[in-house]
Amino acid sequence: FHELEALLEQSRRPPQDTKAIRLSLSQLPQSEGFDEGIKRMRADGVTTLLIDLGCEVRSGMKADVQANAALTSLEAMQTMLRSFVSRSHLQNLRVYIGVAPRCVGFWKEPVPVAWHDRSYDLQAGITKENRLFDLFHPQYQQFLLQFLDQVAESGVDGIIFLGDQPMGPYDGLAQSGIDAFQQAFQTPFIVSEVFQRPIDLGQLRRPVVERSVSGTPSTQETLFWRWVGWKARERLVVLEQMVQHLRRRHLTLQVGLEIHPHGLTDPVRALVEFTEDAMEATRRNPLA
């Protein structure tokens, strides 16, 4: 029995070359087991802990923090992080926080309806409210800045913008984004016309000459590619502003951007399906 127990314990340990572990808030051990968990991770060679705040994660917050009615959810989260970070640093373990930018609105109470993103329903031919948030909404951007400030003030070593919950090809269609796009290109953007048919990546990859008898792209196609490119660049602009703000206020904080593997191996797919432009991200110094 003891031999089996020892084997099981070894199987639960990370590989010897593992340097970082990613955990969600709900996976973090309770206060009495956290210090022991940190010691085990350090003994296994782990040097970095990435705490993923996830999406709609309030239910994962510990009961002893939630019980304090004087704290809001955001303050409770900050209190938790400050405790985790200080105890991790005692064991020389770095702590990074993973943030999905389109999910932060769930920490606002109450959640403003205007902050929600909108997606195009191809079958119904209409746009519908999305459960996630509009990254192009000015007020949501302001709340995101305040949220990141509070996370940074908990003493974390860094913040990572996660690629979780990316903007898909039919997302990002809230009025704030459409208005900004129309102003940038001085052209109307009619969602139902741009997305008349399902997006076919195989068809889009073919040269324009093969797709059009005249050899010139249609108005619909031109608008589609302008929209896809603008959306990816504008997303980077927003994140770049967040990074610059954080680095001005928190001089030792490290900030990073997670990129989907397709951003390197299949950039067209990443651009259309995940609103990511890895090449553009590497050109921007604050995001590098």
Side-chain angles (χ1 to χ4, degrees):
F1 176 80
H2 289 298
E3 290 175 359
L4 288 173
E5 190 177 49
L7 288 172
L8 288 172
E9 179 63 29
Q10 291 176 6
S11 69
R12 284 195 290 265
R13 293 176 181 173
Q16 291 302 307
D17 59 351
T18 299
K19 299 300 181 185
I21 292 181
R22 176 174 173 172
L23 297 171
S24 66
L25 275 178
S26 59
Q27 290 174 319
L28 288 171
Q30 298 286 346
S31 54
E32 61 272 12
F34 186 77
D35 295 322
E36 184 62 29
I38 294 174
K39 291 178 183 178
R40 288 191 180 188
M41 285 190 281
R42 290 296 293 133
D44 291 331
V46 175
T47 62
T48 304
L49 176 64
L50 173 61
I51 301 177
D52 178 1
L53 296 185
C55 225
E56 298 184 87
V57 294
R58 288 181 198 157
S59 59
M61 299 179 72
K62 303 303 180 223
D64 57 339
V65 178
Q66 286 183 321
N68 189 340
L71 295 176
T72 67
S73 296
L74 186 52
E75 289 171 336
M77 181 270 292
Q78 189 181 29
T79 301
M80 289 172 57
L81 291 183
R82 189 176 288 112
S83 173
F84 289 144
V85 169
S86 62
R87 289 146 67 191
S88 297
H89 283 172
L90 289 175
Q91 298 295 329
N92 295 317
L93 192 72
R94 293 190 298 269
V95 180
Y96 287 74
I97 301 299
V99 178
R102 300 180 72 214
C103 294
V104 171
F106 289 115
W107 292 96
K108 174 72 172 176
E109 294 181 340
V111 177
V113 176
W115 289 7
H116 281 282
D117 193 11
R118 298 185 70 83
S119 302
Y120 186 67
D121 186 325
L122 196 65
Q123 292 184 337
I126 58 174
T127 58
K128 294 182 177 180
E129 185 178 288
N130 191 309
R131 74 182 187 90
L132 300 179
F133 296 91
D134 176 17
L135 202 56
F136 307 135
H137 195 292
Q139 292 179 0
Y140 179 64
Q141 292 174 10
Q142 189 61 38
F143 176 74
L144 184 55
L145 281 175
Q146 296 170 358
F147 177 86
L148 294 172
D149 261 336
Q150 289 187 266
V151 170
E153 287 167 2
S154 64
V156 298
D157 298 283
I159 293 176
I160 307 296
F161 292 112
L162 300 177
D164 299 3
Q165 308 294 340
M167 272 189 283
Y170 302 110
D171 296 335
L173 295 168
Q175 197 60 46
S176 54
I178 292 178
D179 288 345
F181 174 82
Q182 292 180 147
Q183 184 175 2
F185 290 96
Q186 294 298 304
T187 184
F189 184 87
I190 302 174
V191 178
S192 59
E193 291 184 4
V194 176
F195 300 109
Q196 290 179 29
R197 296 179 294 276
I199 293 172
D200 184 346
L201 276 179
Q203 179 74 7
L204 290 172
R205 284 193 177 94
R206 293 171 55 197
V208 172
V209 175
E210 295 180 18
R211 299 198 301 270
S212 175
V213 176
S214 63
T216 58
S218 64
T219 301
Q220 176 196 359
E221 188 175 41
T222 299
L223 269 178
F224 171 78
W225 282 115
R226 281 182 175 177
W227 168 253
V228 167
W230 177 87
K231 189 167 64 165
R233 288 191 302 273
E234 192 65 19
R235 169 182 173 270
L236 287 176
V237 168
V238 172
L239 295 181
E240 186 178 33
Q241 292 171 350
M242 304 292 159
V243 173
Q244 291 173 339
H245 172 85
L246 288 170
R247 287 179 175 168
R248 283 196 302 267
R249 290 178 57 87
H250 311 279
L251 301 181
T252 62
L253 185 75
Q254 294 181 309
V255 188
L257 174 65
E258 183 181 39
I259 295 177
H260 195 283
H262 287 314
L264 302 175
T265 61
D266 194 346
V268 175
R269 180 179 178 185
L271 184 65
V272 175
E273 294 189 353
F274 307 114
T275 313
E276 283 191 6
D277 187 338
M279 187 66 70
E280 181 69 18
T282 58
R283 290 195 186 105
R284 295 177 177 272
N285 289 332
L287 293 173

